[in-house]
Amino acid sequence: MTDSPAVDVLAIAAHRDDVEQTCGGTLLRMASRGLRTAILDLTQGESGTRGSAEERAREAAEAAHLLGVGWRQALDLPDGAIENTLESRLKIVRVLRDLRPRVVILPYWHARHPDHAAVAALGYEACFLSGLANAPVIATAANAPQAPHRPFKIVYASLYADVRPSFIVDITPFIEQRHQALMAYRSQYVNQPAGSGLFVPEEEIRERTFAEARHYGQLAGVRYGEPFVQKEVGLVDDLTLVPVQSI
Ligand SMILES: [Zn+2]
């Protein structure tokens, strides 16, 4: 998973396992449509209560496989202390120019975890910077020049935000597979003494994540869904094809 093909959808998240929780079903759905998907985790998980960064790397690779994702890497931003700095933006720009995604998924900008909120702004500004022909660059060993690239669309995964979504992605056929991808993080979710007062017991994870997906699915008249916010208004060609029944 180290080659760098152009991708259609890139999910950027603070921590390994964020994507599995907030938009893993959407990535599965996109892959099932033949689209190329990728995940960029910004930290390596060194500050986690459970498991080591090495364990989480192995688990993330397994989860990526289960999500049908063709490319996944982690940057080295500080876990628990992500800041929207030029250096961090430039690290993301390198990836954006390499993968050239049409769509970028970011975490919603209001969040309990400061890293998640930071990534919303950091990711957005990196997408902007990536499109500037004369943006500063990070010198690399290869020093390969990269053409500017700005994603066409940015959407925000809002599962953990108390906000009305702009739209829902129907993940009904993919809910079990998404759950398997989350449970690939055995160091985090298998019952164990470390962090037992902090983590939800293993047997409750399924019930909670399915209940959230059911709630969001119901908003759009499907069984299981994942919510997103977009800053732009929607555009419609044909009123008779607009989904989600009104009455
Ligand atoms: Zn997180």
Side-chain angles (χ1 to χ4, degrees), residues 49 195-200:
T49 305
S196 58
L198 197 64
F199 282 73
V200 177

Side-chain angles (χ1 to χ4, degrees), residues 175-176 178-180 182-183 200-212 224:
I175 185 86
E176 290 289 349
R178 184 187 80 163
H179 184 66
Q180 277 189 33
L182 182 62
M183 296 314 289
V200 177
E202 190 181 345
E203 49 279 9
E204 261 191 61
I205 293 172
R206 181 184 174 94
E207 188 180 349
R208 285 197 187 194
T209 55
F210 277 56
E212 280 159 350
Y224 294 115

Side-chain angles (χ1 to χ4, degrees), residues 13 34 59 72 128-129 141 194 245:
E59 293 165 349
R72 181 176 210 165
F128 189 88
L129 191 61
Q245 189 171 351

Side-chain angles (χ1 to χ4, degrees), residues 14-18 21 113 115-116:
H15 315 111
R16 288 163 167 161
D17 86 3
D18 284 353
Q21 296 182 59
H113 196 311
D115 279 356
H116 298 168

Side-chain angles (χ1 to χ4, degrees), residues 14-189:
H15 315 111
R16 288 163 167 161
D17 86 3
D18 284 353
V19 162
E20 285 77 2
Q21 296 182 59
T22 61
C23 60
T26 299
L27 292 181
L28 277 162
R29 189 178 184 96
M30 297 304 101
S32 79
R33 295 175 66 87
L35 297 173
R36 297 155 300 178
T37 56
I39 299 171
L40 178 66
D41 305 304
L42 298 186
T43 66
Q44 310 223 351
E46 70 276 8
S47 302
T49 305
R50 290 174 164 178
S52 64
E54 294 70 30
E55 275 177 299
R56 301 199 81 175
R58 276 196 302 278
E59 293 165 349
E62 185 183 336
H65 177 71
L66 288 166
L67 293 177
V69 166
W71 185 100
R72 181 176 210 165
Q73 282 187 14
L75 295 182
D76 58 355
L77 304 195
D79 184 11
I82 294 179
E83 288 186 63
N84 180 6
T85 64
L86 178 60
E87 187 189 3
S88 295
R89 291 197 289 277
L90 290 176
K91 287 178 179 177
I92 298 170
V93 166
R94 278 210 67 81
V95 175
L96 290 168
R97 289 180 170 183
D98 211 14
L99 298 181
R100 313 187 80 71
R102 177 174 173 86
V103 178
V104 166
I105 302 174
L106 296 173
Y108 186 69
W109 55 89
H110 291 144
R112 183 187 65 83
H113 196 311
D115 279 356
H116 298 168
V119 171
L122 170 60
Y124 178 89
E125 292 185 28
C127 287
F128 189 88
L129 191 61
S130 177
L132 298 178
N134 294 316
V137 293
I138 296 179
T140 62
N143 246 345
Q146 292 182 300
H149 174 75
R150 186 167 291 157
F152 176 78
K153 191 74 182 173
I154 298 173
V155 298
Y156 297 86
S158 63
L159 185 80
Y160 292 127
D162 183 18
V163 59
R164 190 170 174 83
S166 306
F167 61 89
I168 300 294
V169 174
D170 179 5
I171 64 160
T172 306
F174 309 103
I175 185 86
E176 290 289 349
Q177 185 81 358
R178 184 187 80 163
H179 184 66
Q180 277 189 33
L182 182 62
M183 296 314 289
Y185 292 88
R186 284 177 290 278
S187 72
Q188 305 301 302
Y189 297 118

